[in-house]
Amino acid sequence: MYKVVDLAYNYNALEPYIDERTMYFHYEKHYKGYLNKLNSILNSINYDYKDPLEVLVTKIDEFPIELRGDILFNAGGVLNHDLYFSELSPKKNTMPVDEIKKAIDSNFGSFENFKKKFIESASHVVGSGWTFLVLTPAKKLEIINTSNQETPYIYGLIPIMGIDLWEHAYYLLYQNRRNEYIDNFFNIIDFNVVNEIYKKALKEKTA
Ligand code: MN3
């Protein structure tokens, strides 16, 4: 079975930017919901869990056609939330460091320019979806939006950082003020973690 990634901080640790109730429901109910649903579908077909999840989603045509949509949705939900909950922290490492700093500067000109583009992209998501910073097979950084729980891995892109733009991620605290949630994301993103994810991604072979 695929496993939950532990939360490295308390539900209230990201306040005032994300409140305790939102974190509790988001992690305990939404995230674990995707994971439990995915495992239950895969158990129903006696899947052997041979591949890491980011590989499974690239082999979706090996699964029964009637299950592919639900598998992709829930696997994407798990992958996206594994990233989201790991990349956030109350530690205030909110400025790019080391390799990710160099890469952001060379791909976007400056952190300020990157941040502006990321926020602008996020503001264009309609309905439920995500904005991601991804590493392309050519080792470039790009910003993309995806719908629902679509994971960048299905396009051969490795997600480096991502913001959850589903209402369940912000509505209890922000209601309709999604732009405030997007701006505040930059007060709780941990670039030490993003840097480690980036360095790991550089070593991986993309699809
Ligand atoms: Mn979510």
Side-chain angles (χ1 to χ4, degrees):
M1 307 231 284
Y2 291 109
K3 299 252 166 38
V4 72
V5 173
D6 290 332
L7 199 59
Y9 43 85
N10 294 327
Y11 299 125
N12 65 359
L14 304 178
E15 292 186 348
Y17 305 114
I18 297 181
D19 60 298
E20 182 172 4
R21 274 187 82 214
T22 298
M23 280 305 292
Y24 172 79
F25 283 104
H26 200 178
Y27 182 83
E28 292 293 335
K29 305 298 175 187
H30 294 276
Y31 169 51
K32 288 187 178 173
Y34 299 122
L35 184 70
N36 292 338
K37 185 79 208 283
L38 176 68
N39 283 329
S40 115
I41 298 168
L42 295 174
N43 287 342
S44 78
I45 51 170
N46 299 312
Y47 179 66
D48 60 4
Y49 296 91
K50 64 182 188 304
D51 286 318
L53 208 40
E54 63 271 23
V55 175
L56 177 149
V57 294
T58 66
K59 297 181 174 177
I60 194 67
D61 57 350
E62 294 177 9
F63 291 89
I65 197 159
E66 70 278 10
L67 296 178
R68 288 178 196 169
D70 283 345
I71 291 173
L72 268 188
F73 178 81
N74 290 289
V78 174
L79 286 165
N80 295 342
H81 288 86
D82 282 349
L83 176 66
Y84 182 77
F85 290 121
S86 329
E87 74 191 355
L88 299 179
S89 94
K91 291 180 188 156
K92 304 280 178 256
N93 301 318
T94 55
M95 289 301 285
V97 291
D98 190 37
E99 295 302 312
I100 191 64
K101 179 183 189 317
K102 285 183 216 155
I104 284 175
D105 287 346
S106 78
N107 283 273
F108 300 99
S110 66
F111 173 60
E112 279 314 305
N113 199 38
F114 159 70
K115 186 173 161 182
K116 199 172 136 229
K117 285 190 166 163
F118 191 90
I119 288 173
E120 194 188 325
S121 195
S123 75
H124 290 150
V125 169
V126 290
S128 296
W130 291 72
T131 293
F132 291 101
L133 175 66
V134 297
L135 186 67
T136 71
K139 309 293 180 200
K140 294 267 188 207
L141 290 179
E142 281 182 19
I143 295 166
I144 65 161
N145 291 342
T146 70
S147 292
N148 296 313
Q149 293 298 358
E150 202 174 38
T151 161
Y153 284 111
I154 62 171
Y155 301 114
L157 304 167
I158 302 178
I160 305 297
M161 124 182 192
I163 182 169
D164 188 340
L165 295 164
W166 284 55
E167 284 186 347
H168 68 228
Y170 65 87
Y171 207 85
L172 288 176
L173 183 61
Y174 293 93
Q175 292 84 45
N176 62 316
R177 303 184 317 277
R178 189 175 72 164
N179 287 347
E180 256 179 66
Y181 161 71
I182 296 169
D183 286 344
N184 282 336
F185 174 77
F186 282 89
N187 292 317
I188 47 178
I189 186 76
D190 188 334
F191 272 105
N192 286 359
V193 175
V194 176
N195 186 49
E196 292 308 314
I197 295 170
Y198 174 67
K199 287 196 292 187
K200 184 163 170 267
L202 277 178
K203 289 181 201 149
E204 276 167 30
K205 206 168 148 278
T206 41

